[in-house]
Amino acid sequence: MMPKGINMKDKKKNLNSNRGAPTRLDVQPYKEAAIPVFLCLVCMAVACVAWIINKFVYPFGETLLAPVILELLAIVFPCYLVLLSIYPKKSAAEQMRSVGFHKISPRYVFFMLFAALFLMGSSMAVSIIFGGVYSFADGLTLLGTFVAGSNEYTNALPYLILAYVIVPAIAEELLLRGVILSQLDGVGFAAATAVSALASALLGFSLGGAVPAMFVACLMCFVFYTTGSVWACIIVRLIFNLYRLFLESNISAYYVSLSSRGLFLTVLLIIFLISGALFFGESARIYRESAASDDKENSKKKTLSFRTFTADIKRMALFGPTVALSIACAAIFLAVVVTEYIV
């Protein structure tokens, strides 16, 4: 016989909590994951509409500012509306600080430089492995909609730098490392990084470039959590975008044209190992200093832990809207990719 005063429902709830199984009460903080996924869906929808118009109605390749306008409409404007809804009483400067636009400490200068160098040394290797290498004729894609080199204005250096270096770095880091990660603050490092990486892959609308995009996103999330500033991510992306625009397309074209690629791959491996050693060595130095310091800045740093990754994903998955929005994002991505292959 059950003792008086004990409710069977309460007993089951306690039993589940003791086992570590997520209950509906545990899930409530993770409903905020729906906000970044919804934002990703809006950005994808706007970019998809632009892609449809560019593909079937009017080619935007002849329009000078089309890539810049797309970034502003598909990323910056939705982010601004989300920030207004989340922080309605804050000023624009306070809203930006709320999503990670903080000053960069001088101690992170070499870390950022080595992060950019590691991106350069590793992105080509990842692209070769997963089929993301493109020839020079294909140029540099922007959200899978526009191609650098397809219009008459791409010979203008200021236009190239604005449209394919500065605007993408600011807009995409605002979305992927700013708004998305700030709204996943309570989910955990690993789960937040996974969502940001998947969003980055989906926004590329490229099957071959999905894994390279996720690789870049994961590294940028590490930069964000290490420095605590979106500005650091923007600086790293600016350097990386300059490399992609002026060097990577030529390097990949050279790789495609080679009859024997053994020497090229060997050199690429050496660059990858050297850049990785510099980057991870500097990362280890920073975290050793942080572990030995008790000041307020370091005490507020997030712990980069993967221990609760599975539980975090399960908790997010138990919130229905997050799952529905994720399915909608995947549907748009697959529709664009399949259409690209068929048409």
Side-chain angles (χ1 to χ4, degrees):
M1 180 179 295
M2 187 182 299
K4 294 183 179 180
I6 296 180
N7 186 282
M8 191 61 182
K9 293 182 179 179
D10 293 334
K11 184 178 180 181
K12 289 182 178 180
K13 186 187 296 183
N14 293 332
L15 183 61
N16 287 334
S17 61
N18 291 332
R19 290 177 179 174
T23 65
R24 276 291 170 185
L25 290 176
D26 296 326
V27 174
Q28 291 307 308
Y30 297 90
K31 68 182 181 181
E32 292 185 358
I35 297 177
V37 178
F38 172 73
L39 179 58
C40 179
L41 177 62
V42 172
C43 295
M44 290 185 66
V46 176
C48 183
V49 171
W51 174 82
I52 292 172
I53 296 174
N54 179 62
K55 188 82 173 178
F56 302 104
V57 181
Y58 175 78
F60 289 150
E62 303 300 324
T63 306
L64 174 62
L65 293 177
V68 177
I69 294 172
L70 175 61
E71 290 275 0
L72 295 177
L73 290 179
I75 296 181
V76 177
F77 186 62
C79 285
Y80 174 69
L81 293 180
V82 168
L83 290 178
L84 279 181
S85 64
I86 298 174
Y87 310 108
K89 297 182 180 180
K90 292 186 177 181
S91 64
E94 290 174 332
Q95 290 173 351
M96 298 303 284
R97 285 194 293 269
S98 298
V99 295
F101 282 83
H102 306 297
K103 292 181 180 179
I104 307 171
S105 171
R107 66 192 290 240
Y108 298 124
V109 171
F110 285 106
F111 172 78
M112 291 186 295
L113 291 176
F114 292 154
L117 181 63
F118 182 59
L119 274 177
M120 296 178 198
S122 56
S123 61
M124 178 64 69
V126 176
S127 295
I128 290 174
I129 294 171
F130 292 97
V133 169
Y134 47 82
S135 66
F136 180 71
D138 294 329
L140 175 68
T141 60
L142 178 67
L143 287 178
T145 304
F146 303 100
V147 179
S150 65
N151 63 61
E152 59 185 298
Y153 300 102
T154 53
N155 291 324
L157 186 61
Y159 165 72
L160 277 173
I161 295 176
L162 174 67
Y164 297 99
V165 176
I166 298 176
V167 173
I170 296 175
E172 292 174 18
E173 292 308 313
L174 167 65
L175 170 67
L176 298 170
R177 254 62 66 184
V179 179
I180 286 183
L181 285 187
S182 70
Q183 292 307 302
L184 295 174
D185 184 65
V187 175
F189 165 72
T193 299
V195 174
S196 180
L198 287 173
S200 181
L202 292 175
L203 281 167
F205 290 115
S206 171
L207 195 60
V211 174
M214 292 176 66
F215 171 78
V216 173
C218 289
L219 190 59
M220 296 309 301
C221 288
F222 182 75
V223 171
F224 175 74
Y225 277 111
T226 301
T227 63
S229 174
V230 177
W231 288 119
C233 299
I234 290 175
I235 291 173
V236 173
R237 278 296 296 275
L238 285 172
I239 299 173
F240 180 60
N241 286 352
L242 283 170
Y243 157 76
R244 288 199 66 195
L245 181 61
F246 295 109
L247 291 177
E248 189 179 59
S249 55
N250 290 295
I251 295 173
S252 63
Y254 177 69
Y255 168 79
V256 171
S257 66
L258 287 176
S259 56
S260 176
R261 299 169 180 171
L263 179 61
F264 178 89
L265 294 175
T266 302
V267 173
L268 188 64
L269 177 62
I270 294 173
I271 295 174
F272 171 77
L273 293 175
I274 293 175
S275 61
L278 291 172
F279 172 67
F280 289 109
E282 184 66 13
S283 302
R285 182 191 67 81
I286 290 174
Y287 278 95
R288 280 197 302 268
E289 292 180 356
S290 298
S293 176
D294 293 325
D295 60 33
K296 293 183 179 180
E297 179 184 356
N298 290 324
S299 66
K300 291 181 180 179
K301 278 192 182 299
K302 296 177 177 15
T303 302
L304 306 188
S305 173
F306 293 87
R307 295 178 181 177
T308 60
F309 175 71
T310 304
D312 292 336
I313 295 297
K314 286 181 179 179
R315 290 185 176 101
M316 284 191 290
L318 285 176
F319 189 65
T322 303
V323 178
L325 293 169
S326 301
I327 293 173
C329 290
I332 293 177
F333 174 80
L334 289 175
V336 173
V337 170
V338 170
T339 306
E340 278 283 4
Y341 278 96
I342 293 176
V343 178

